[in-house]
Amino acid sequence: MVTSPRTLFLQLSILAAARASADRSPKISWNPCNETEFPSAIPNDCGTLGVPRDYSNLDSEPLALDLLRVPALSQPSNGSILFNFGGPGEPARATLSAYGPILQQLTGAQYDLIAFDPRGTGKTLPFSCHTNELDTLAYMLDRAPANSSDTALARGWARGDVNANHCLENANETISLLSSTFVARDLISVVDALDEDGQLRYWGEELTP
Ligand SMILES: *[C@@H]1O[C@H](CO)[C@@H](O)[C@H](O)[C@H]1NC(C)=O
Ligand SMILES: *[C@@H]1O[C@H](CO)[C@@H](O)[C@H](O)[C@H]1NC(C)=O
Ligand SMILES: *[C@@H]1O[C@H](CO)[C@@H](O)[C@H](O)[C@H]1NC(C)=O
Ligand SMILES: *[C@@H]1O[C@H](CO)[C@@H](O)[C@H](O)[C@H]1NC(C)=O
């Protein structure tokens, strides 16, 4: 069958459109991790992905998510599973690197296992409500059950007020970029960049607001 120029043009246009839509989401380029930083008994790849710093303003300066991948033993893999280990405040790459061998066994070794340091942890948009360690320590230690004394409830309330004001003074710019809604969008950005079946396979603790 002879392909007419018009049919050929249509086919090329469709190809170009498909390629343009695939190119819209950036890809992650993976390289072996620095073994000093992420020691592991099995291979680990590290990569970064640029995502919107502020998903409510897509023109905002991008944020680089730091990712770590434990590749499936059999390749091609059946896809990726994304992990978020919680903390709060713990970077996820070190945890995935440390627990990679056991998580690989638990998941059948046919999936690539991926974690990224969530916003507010690691090098990704670091933040603290406090400017000195004394304030951080006071925040950590000054906790008592509300029924532990006559004054415990009022004291806890006042402590909460002080903490909230510290956050407003010292982290006002950053804190609005750290919500669960943005972390959930980061997960989907990673799924889009992986360009597998478009499904999010997720193992983690519930993200808190
Ligand atoms: C690996 O990480 C260590 C510790 O952070 C650092 O000192 C070293 O320069 C890194 N090596 C490479 C090749 O980047
Ligand atoms: C998963 O991957 C293995 C090996 O790579 C393959 O044999 C198997 O068919 C895959 N399973 C599914 C559900 O795709
Ligand atoms: C405070 O409340 C908890 C939960 O109801 C109870 O188990 C505990 O005994 C109470 N403590 C005091 C000091 O009343
Ligand atoms: C904190 O940030 C919000 C939005 O970024 C702004 O509207 C508000 O005025 C800021 N508050 C203070 C006390 O700086």
Side-chain angles (χ1 to χ4, degrees):
M1 196 186 91
V2 179
T3 308
S4 78
R6 185 178 158 77
T7 315
L8 185 63
F9 172 76
L10 274 175
Q11 284 170 348
L12 287 175
S13 309
I14 291 165
L15 263 179
R19 164 139 323 171
S21 96
D23 280 353
R24 259 205 297 277
S25 49
K27 298 284 168 286
I28 304 163
S29 62
W30 298 102
N31 289 299
C33 295
N34 179 336
E35 285 176 24
T36 317
E37 235 180 322
F38 298 109
S40 172
I42 57 175
N44 279 342
D45 300 327
C46 282
T48 58
L49 175 65
V51 297
R53 177 175 298 259
D54 180 351
Y55 282 92
S56 65
N57 171 16
L58 295 182
D59 295 330
S60 63
E61 172 193 356
L63 180 72
L65 287 187
D66 293 316
L67 300 101
L68 184 141
R69 175 176 73 177
V70 177
L73 278 185
S74 52
Q75 293 289 343
S77 76
N78 295 140
S80 301
I81 303 175
L82 271 55
F83 288 78
N84 183 336
F85 303 102
E90 292 299 321
R93 287 185 304 166
T95 310
L96 179 57
S97 167
Y99 289 93
I102 182 144
L103 290 172
Q104 190 176 61
Q105 281 180 21
L106 287 172
T107 53
Q110 293 185 339
Y111 290 89
D112 297 326
L113 313 181
I114 295 179
F116 58 86
D117 294 346
R119 293 160 175 258
T121 76
K123 286 178 282 186
T124 313
L125 207 58
F127 108 108
S128 172
C129 288
H130 307 117
T131 53
N132 62 70
E133 291 187 7
L134 206 61
D135 284 346
T136 308
L137 205 63
Y139 162 69
M140 303 289 281
L141 297 181
D142 194 4
R143 293 172 188 192
N147 64 351
S148 59
S149 76
D150 287 351
T151 56
L153 182 60
R155 188 178 169 82
W157 191 262
R159 167 54 64 192
D161 213 28
V162 169
N163 286 336
N165 282 325
H166 278 164
C167 292
L168 193 64
E169 281 162 26
N170 303 321
N172 188 34
E173 295 291 318
T174 336
I175 211 159
S176 65
L177 303 173
L178 299 178
S179 67
S180 294
T181 52
F182 282 7
V183 176
R185 281 172 175 78
D186 286 341
L187 287 165
I188 298 302
S189 295
V190 172
V191 167
D192 289 346
L194 291 171
D195 200 16
E196 295 167 347
D197 54 2
Q199 302 289 311
L200 169 62
R201 283 169 289 274
Y202 177 68
W203 181 342
E205 68 175 34
E206 199 176 67
L207 301 170
T208 49

